[in-house]
Amino acid sequence: MTVRVRFAPSPTGHLHVGNIFVALHNWLFARKEAGEFLLRFDDTDLQRSTAEFAEAIRRDLTWVGLAWDREVSQSQRIAVYDAAAERLKTSERLYPCYETAEELALKRQAQLQSGRAPVYDRAALALSAADRAKLEAEGRLPHWRFRLDLKEVRWIDMVRGPQHIDEASQSDPVLIREDGTYLYTLPSVVDDIDLGVTHVIRGADHVTNTGAQIQIYEALGGTVPRFGHLPLLKGKGGEELSKRIGSLSIGELRAAGIEPLALASYLARLGTGDPMKPVHSWAELVPEHNLGKLGAASPHFDREELAQINARLLHETEFKEVASRIAAGGVDERLWNAVRGNLQKLADIEQWARICQGEILTRTDDVDLTRIAAAELPPEPWNDETWKNWTGAITSATGKKGKALFQPLRQALTGLDHGPEMRLLLPLIGRARASARLLRGKG
Ligand code: GLU
């Protein structure tokens, strides 16, 4: 049996880290089991789903590195759902209801006031054919509910362990709206059966749905897949992530210079208890993947921690891994090795390339010192020893040493207070630039 999982976003908005958390766990599960990863667009809500969002989702998944083996869109599969709905109607598991939203709200209110659970009372089941004909003659259109078997449904969740939902405490779910459109519940099950999905890995917001869905799989004669309900991510302070979706969209992370592998390293281990550190290839993440390492508790997504993983990843990255992505011309392995430990994001390399190879404005507050320093510059060729010998000579000439010497020299040569080791930078800057910056504050 081929393991097959699916990531099923609704193309009604952009992906955020919570979605990628779900997609990534599906992808890793599939890769580890040598299975297939499907992308399914849950786009039965034609009002809110757009082709642009679908395209943005494809782009974001591709950027992260989560390639899918097959893509389907629910909007293209309505006939399949219609056939399934017909079967459920024939077996009397799907029944028409005529209450308006207001009537249902009043019923719920009355139930709550008398201390009862606000569960649908199944009044529509008692309607005769004549009653229904009368309601329809009045212009009422039915919505359709799935008749639950009022028993406890159990499953062993791959993330949460043994679960049970007492369906007697649940309302018969509406599967088809008055206008004939499908809610998510039925199409998802029909697709899972039809596409041979073996493991449903999704957010914990679907735990309660699972009881009804298991009954729908059974009612349609399908094999019930295994379920894994991932905890929903929270913000650093425990707040709902959805409130901050904008700032945590994949587009924003990409624009901020987060590397796909940094995001994958972080999200794959978030909430697992495994040590947080960057990986340099996807192959490292696959064998360690295990949904059982997660629990029901919500991991806290910390943007700062992600930024640190990103920086660490870059600090450990070999030049050949990034050479093709470096826009600034002339960055070679030597420059990369000298400055990579100071990068927060790859684009920071441009600043260091400019400092080593371009024109910059620098600061020379201590003009006497920098004049002497310029005079003491040895002839080229320079190497990693040059800095030590040169600053030694300046100390002999001025008596200055330590921070009082190094800080003004760093400022005069780089324009910055901090950065990579000067012994590595100096030979990259070269004598002509160093001299001009020390004497004129630019070059
Ligand atoms: N479209 C649903 C969601 O994004 C899919 C849930 C599922 O995976 O079954 O929540």
Side-chain angles (χ1 to χ4, degrees), residues 6-11 19 22 26 40-43 74 184 188-189 192 200-203 205-206 209 213 217 227 229:
R6 81 293 193 286
F7 172 55
S10 294
N19 305 122
V22 174
N26 272 286
R40 183 184 88 199
F41 285 113
D42 285 3
D43 57 354
Q74 292 194 326
Y184 142 84
S188 184
V189 170
D192 288 341
V200 170
I201 302 167
R202 60 185 175 185
D205 47 339
H206 290 288
N209 281 337
Q213 286 191 321
Y217 286 100
F227 291 92
H229 288 94

Side-chain angles (χ1 to χ4, degrees), residues 83-163:
E86 276 316 309
R87 286 171 55 204
L88 292 177
K89 286 178 190 173
T90 306
S91 59
E92 295 185 351
R93 293 303 294 274
L94 199 54
Y95 64 96
C97 303
Y98 295 86
E99 296 91 343
T100 62
E102 294 74 36
E103 286 164 353
L104 289 172
L106 284 176
K107 278 192 196 197
R108 270 198 299 275
Q109 219 174 14
Q111 285 168 317
L112 286 170
Q113 268 163 9
S114 62
R116 283 171 296 153
V119 173
Y120 177 60
D121 62 6
R122 294 186 159 177
L125 273 182
L127 295 173
S128 65
D131 295 333
R132 289 201 294 268
K134 185 163 170 284
L135 286 163
E136 292 190 20
E138 285 168 14
R140 293 218 192 190
L141 290 170
H143 55 274
W144 296 79
R145 288 187 190 260
F146 179 71
R147 188 169 52 76
L148 291 167
D149 192 357
L150 302 183
K151 62 176 191 193
E152 201 167 70
V153 178
R154 296 173 172 272
W155 75 95
I156 310 287
D157 198 278
M158 293 185 287
V159 176
R160 302 162 68 93
Q163 302 287 300

Side-chain angles (χ1 to χ4, degrees), residues 4 155 192-193 197-200 214 217 222-227:
R4 200 167 286 137
W155 75 95
D192 288 341
I193 296 172
V197 168
T198 57
H199 297 76
V200 170
I214 287 177
Y217 286 100
T223 309
V224 179
R226 294 218 49 199
F227 291 92

Side-chain angles (χ1 to χ4, degrees), residues 203-220:
D205 47 339
H206 290 288
V207 169
T208 318
N209 281 337
T210 304
Q213 286 191 321
I214 287 177
Q215 292 197 358
I216 299 174
Y217 286 100
E218 287 168 345
L220 290 171

